[in-house]
Amino acid sequence: MTLRIIAQPLTAEAFAPFGDVIESEGQHSFHINDGNALRFHDVAKAEFSGDAAHVGISLVDVAPYQMPLAVTLMEKHPKGSQAFIPLDNEPFLVIVAPRGPEIRIEEIKAFITNGRQGINYHTDSWHHPLVSLKDAQRFIIVDRIGKDDNCDLFHIEPGQLEVALS
Ligand SMILES: NC(=O)N[C@@H](O)C(=O)O
Ligand code: NI
């Protein structure tokens, strides 16, 4: 029997156990550049650990996934946070699970972004690899750059879990 999870609209409150929502709504802001710009300040924290590592900024082009999404893999990064910021103003799917050594599929949560929102997974937060829904989408990634391994995987039996938009 396949468990089907319906993605819910992403909110900062619902996502708080897993990370930060990168958005201007509800954020502390102040004017800069002689009042010509409004800065939404410190909306998410980039974390990393390890000596020969740093926080880097990358770009990624993601091919769309078929929906409903068959979930067979989750991952986490124990040595740093990972942020994805969309550049195409298109909603994308965010799938997360509570912290811990194992994942119970009943506890997995799925969110759909509003197209403007980005997300920042906290260090060691279980998540599905980045899922775009329409054409190839481009994102900015802000995460730990290092030569050592920083990706724990959790495999889910095919046919156990799918995520749908409605
Ligand atoms: N590795 C990478 O850039 N991305 C994945 O960790 C992911 O969460 O999509
Ligand atoms: Ni990741």
Side-chain angles (χ1 to χ4, degrees):
M1 169 81 169
T2 303
L3 173 63
R4 171 174 278 204
I5 297 176
I6 307 298
Q8 300 301 307
L10 178 68
T11 65
E13 187 185 4
F15 194 65
F18 312 103
D20 314 293
V21 175
I22 299 172
E23 59 185 349
S24 57
E25 284 80 353
Q27 299 294 340
H28 169 56
S29 62
F30 51 85
H31 281 93
I32 54 172
N33 306 349
D34 290 341
N36 200 48
L38 183 62
R39 177 175 170 136
F40 297 93
H41 189 61
D42 197 16
V43 299
K45 191 161 156 246
E47 305 161 323
F48 78 99
S49 63
D51 299 337
H54 63 276
V55 171
I57 298 175
S58 308
L59 293 171
V60 65
D61 288 338
V62 190
Y65 282 76
Q66 287 301 316
M67 294 301 289
L69 176 73
V71 178
T72 58
L73 175 68
M74 296 284 279
E75 61 172 41
K76 65 182 176 73
H77 309 299
K79 299 175 185 168
S81 57
Q82 186 173 58
F84 294 102
I85 303 160
L87 293 176
D88 302 313
N89 205 20
E90 286 291 337
F92 65 100
L93 205 50
V94 179
I95 304 168
V96 288
R99 286 165 187 280
E102 302 270 316
I103 292 177
R104 295 182 57 233
I105 63 168
E106 307 77 30
E107 296 180 331
I108 289 179
K109 293 194 182 305
F111 299 99
I112 183 78
T113 69
N114 65 12
R116 296 184 310 283
Q117 294 165 318
I119 45 119
N120 179 52
Y121 297 120
H122 289 163
T123 301
D124 228 22
S125 263
W126 285 112
H127 57 277
H128 188 280
L130 185 57
V131 179
S132 85
L133 296 170
K134 276 177 70 177
D135 321 315
Q137 276 186 264
R138 175 164 287 189
F139 295 78
I140 295 170
I141 306 175
V142 180
D143 64 357
R144 177 187 187 270
I145 307 290
K147 294 205 181 327
D148 52 352
D149 183 49
N150 179 34
C151 188
D152 299 340
L153 301 178
F154 185 86
H155 295 281
I156 295 171
E157 273 301 303
Q160 277 206 336
L161 174 63
E162 66 182 18
V163 170
L165 299 179
S166 60

